[in-house]
């Protein structure tokens, strides 16, 4: 298990997503160009929320809580879901009994863009 | 040349019977609340943490294109060399000996890794090739 430092814990509807803080340039207001993380779950998503800036791209989530923590133990991704979301899954963390998927911001944005543009 | 009888764990899901080689079925656990996985296929219901590892839950009925049946309460944890997965089960029947290898249920998709019908005391079942199915699912299908 590889340790990580600092993650953004995000809610997307009923789902949870965790993003490494070192991939987030800023937390911004939602703009028209933001891609909704809810699409990764086949959901439409809320019109409000926050946007995670990654370079010039924005990823929309419902809420963000930054966990500026010391090293967290990361559980590996099972083989059968290694290619989910285009391979953007980096592992899982267990926090207060809840399992959070750790996802690459850039990888998830790539996946959402590919899904939006079709095969 | 026919194979000798091999112990399989037989379980029901969505009105059908399935069987996995008994030596690959590591345990049966009650289904906890699941964590959704972004970008997952519809048959991947989610994951849960169990004994320090993450287990993906596969709904067999959705995997083979049948209407979803949400009546399952348990999962059969199956472990092979490359990883682990958990199959939804409405009822666990028990271990039965299955002789030989019935034909594949399909030429492509997940059915290519299921064989049947195999006769067990509780009826006809489909035997699952867990190594092949895991490799198939790991390719992102």
């Amino acid at each position: 298990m590889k340790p990580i430092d600092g993650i953004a814990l995000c809610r997307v509807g009923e789902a949870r997503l965790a993003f490494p803080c070192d991939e987030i340039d800023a937390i911004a207001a939602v703009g028209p160009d933001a891609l909704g993380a809810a699409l990764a779950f086949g959901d439409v998503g809320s019109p409000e929320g926050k946007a995670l800036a990654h370079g010039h791209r924005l990823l929309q989530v419902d809420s963000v809580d930054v966990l500026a923590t010391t090293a967290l133990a990361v559980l590996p991704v099972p083989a059968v879901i290694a290619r989910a979301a285009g391979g953007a899954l980096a592992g899982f963390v267990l926090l207060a009994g809840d399992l959070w998927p750790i996802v690459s911001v850039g990888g998830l944005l790539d996946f959402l863009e590919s899904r939006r543009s079709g095969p | 040349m026919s194979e000798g009888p091999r112990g399989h764990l037989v379980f029901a899901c969505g009105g059908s019977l399935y069987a996995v080689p008994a030596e690959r079925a590591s345990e049966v656990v009650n289904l906890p609340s699941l964590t959704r996985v972004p970008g997952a296929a519809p048959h991947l219901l989610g994951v849960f943490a169990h004994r320090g590892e993450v287990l993906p839950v596969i709904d067999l009925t959705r995997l083979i294109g049948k209407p979803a049946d949400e009546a399952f309460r348990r999962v059969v944890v199956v472990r092979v060399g490359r990883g682990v997965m958990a199959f939804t089960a409405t009822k666990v029947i028990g271990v039965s000996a299955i002789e030989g290898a019935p034909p594949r249920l399909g030429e492509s998709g997940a059915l290519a890794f299921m064989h049947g019908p195999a006769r067990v005391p509780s009826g006809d079942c489909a035997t699952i090739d867990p190594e092949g199915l895991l490799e198939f699912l790991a390719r992102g299908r």
Side-chain angles (χ1 to χ4, degrees):
Chain A
M1 288 186 281
K2 190 179 79 174
I4 59 168
D5 288 310
I7 52 175
L9 301 175
C10 300
R11 299 273 179 181
V12 181
E14 299 288 314
R16 298 184 289 270
L17 290 173
F19 300 99
C21 283
D22 61 6
E23 284 193 39
I24 300 170
D25 298 323
I27 298 173
V30 173
D33 296 333
L35 279 171
L39 289 173
F41 299 101
D43 300 332
V44 176
S46 165
E48 298 178 354
K50 297 285 185 183
L52 309 180
H54 179 75
H56 66 282
R57 300 186 292 175
L58 295 171
L59 178 69
Q60 182 179 345
V61 296
D62 293 350
S63 66
V64 185
D65 288 302
V66 174
L67 185 61
T69 179
T70 54
L72 287 169
V74 179
L75 300 170
V77 178
V80 298
I81 55 171
R83 293 200 178 183
L89 275 177
F92 292 85
V93 287
L94 195 56
L95 298 170
D98 288 331
L99 201 56
W100 291 75
I102 303 173
V103 182
S104 157
V105 182
L108 186 60
L109 283 163
D110 291 343
F111 171 72
L112 294 172
E113 286 171 348
S114 69
R115 178 170 276 197
R116 189 171 62 174
S117 60
Chain B
M1 192 165 64
S2 65
E3 297 176 19
R6 191 178 177 197
H8 281 70
L9 180 69
V10 180
F11 59 98
C13 185
S16 299
L17 292 177
Y18 300 90
V20 291
E23 74 272 13
R24 299 294 185 215
S26 62
E27 60 186 311
V28 177
V29 299
N30 290 329
L31 187 67
S33 62
L34 298 177
T35 298
R36 294 176 73 189
V37 175
H43 59 258
L44 192 285
L45 300 183
V47 296
F48 67 99
H50 183 64
R51 301 185 199 276
E53 67 180 335
V54 176
L55 302 188
V57 176
I58 310 293
D59 181 353
L60 287 170
T61 56
R62 292 187 203 206
L63 181 62
I64 62 173
K66 287 186 175 179
D69 179 352
E70 308 291 348
F72 42 80
R73 295 282 182 272
R74 293 171 154 189
V75 289
V76 176
V77 179
V78 175
R79 197 173 293 279
V80 296
R82 204 181 151 200
V84 63
M85 54 192 165
F87 297 134
T88 52
T90 49
K91 184 179 181 184
V92 177
I93 310 296
V95 176
S96 293
I98 294 175
E99 190 151 4
R104 288 180 181 185
L105 291 178
E107 292 302 313
S108 60
L111 288 175
F113 305 99
M114 296 183 187
H115 301 253
R119 176 62 84 177
V120 293
S122 44
D124 286 342
C125 73
T127 65
I128 297 171
D129 163 15
E131 287 88 355
L133 186 58
L134 188 142
E135 289 296 328
F136 169 74
L137 295 172
R139 292 198 295 268
R141 306 306 174 91

